[in-house]
Amino acid sequence: MGAHTSCERLSKEDLDFLSRNTHYEEDTISEWYRGFRKDCPDGKLTPNDFMKIYSQWFPMGRTSHFCNHVFRTFDTDRNGFIDFKEFLFAIDVTSCGTPEQKLAWAFRLYDVDGNGSIDMREMTQMVKSIYTMMGLTKELVEHHETAWDKAKEIFIRMDKNEDGKVTREEFIQTCLSNLGLFEILTPNVCNYLGSFDTEPNK
């Protein structure tokens, strides 16, 4: 998925492709690209760099587990780093996409093993990583709750046919009918990754 780029600017071919397939205009894409290449001179956003960005926003929490999962959804070709195209497509979906598109991305985040459904273990794993990142584990203790309790509550609500797994359709339909769940499960990643040196206005 690599872009044919120089450090200074995107090729006309890549710029045209990205403007056609995202909600961003060419000037905004070029601005994002300059910031991306300033922070990632080789054009590769690594897991460690990705984690550093998130850590700036959640100094009281531990971001490693959550970052690993988000990184997995961004690195669509699974080559171990995020290139600019992958970065922009992910930002576009999580910040400008329709509710259905955002939820489809969130489903991939929760479907850790990529088998097309979410089980209780995966739901618990993700809920725990979010609470840990946000530094909210103390709140759970104060309310005599665990990440498993929270995950179970969400899981039961989503598992309409009670077969022990949540499908993509169940996940999306439940969140579309529950604004609270939608906001919890579809974080606007753009809010945190906007810390690149150049942050354009959408």
Side-chain angles (χ1 to χ4, degrees):
M1 198 170 180
H4 303 295
T5 57
S6 68
C7 188
E8 292 78 19
R9 63 180 62 186
L10 281 166
S11 70
K12 180 62 176 172
E13 177 186 356
D14 285 334
L15 196 56
D16 289 343
F17 175 80
L18 290 170
S19 63
R20 285 197 311 269
N21 291 281
T22 69
H23 293 83
Y24 298 115
E25 297 180 354
E26 291 188 2
D27 287 348
T28 301
I29 294 170
S30 295
E31 203 172 349
W32 269 116
Y33 181 69
R34 285 192 293 272
F36 184 87
R37 288 306 294 260
K38 188 170 184 179
D39 282 342
C40 308
D42 61 356
K44 299 177 180 180
L45 180 60
T46 66
N48 284 339
D49 292 333
F50 194 78
M51 196 175 303
K52 286 176 184 176
I53 294 172
Y54 263 87
S55 297
Q56 294 171 15
W57 287 88
F58 301 101
M60 300 302 293
R62 295 197 300 271
T63 61
S64 59
H65 291 298
F66 184 76
C67 285
N68 287 339
H69 292 301
V70 175
F71 189 92
R72 166 176 51 81
T73 66
F74 278 31
D75 182 19
T76 54
D77 60 9
R78 299 178 182 272
N79 63 358
F81 64 86
I82 298 169
D83 64 27
F84 182 70
K85 282 184 180 179
E86 290 172 322
F87 172 80
L88 195 68
F89 280 135
I91 293 298
D92 184 58
V93 168
T94 58
S95 61
C96 303
T98 64
E100 289 82 1
Q101 288 172 328
K102 291 180 179 181
L103 288 167
W105 172 81
F107 178 81
R108 291 197 296 117
L109 184 67
Y110 282 74
D111 180 18
V112 177
D113 62 11
N115 71 348
S117 64
I118 302 168
D119 60 27
M120 185 60 193
R121 179 187 58 80
E122 290 171 320
M123 184 68 75
T124 303
Q125 185 177 344
M126 287 305 306
V127 168
K128 183 177 180 180
S129 69
I130 289 173
Y131 269 77
T132 301
M133 177 184 70
M134 300 291 288
L136 297 176
T137 50
K138 185 178 178 180
E139 269 190 27
L140 288 175
V141 173
E142 289 174 351
H143 289 84
H144 306 287
E145 290 182 312
T146 65
W148 187 87
D149 294 325
K150 283 290 185 184
K152 183 179 180 182
E153 178 185 338
I154 296 171
F155 193 86
I156 290 174
R157 192 176 300 181
M158 289 186 168
D159 185 16
K160 302 296 187 184
N161 61 358
E162 300 181 353
D163 64 350
K165 61 184 178 181
V166 173
T167 64
R168 186 173 181 271
E169 182 179 358
E170 287 174 327
F171 183 91
I172 292 176
Q173 291 305 314
T174 303
C175 289
L176 286 176
S177 63
N178 187 310
L179 182 59
L181 271 183
F182 178 85
E183 292 177 346
I184 291 171
L185 301 179
T186 57
N188 186 343
V189 179
C190 187
N191 287 344
Y192 314 127
L193 296 184
S195 56
F196 277 99
D197 286 330
T198 301
E199 182 181 0
N201 296 318
K202 288 187 291 184

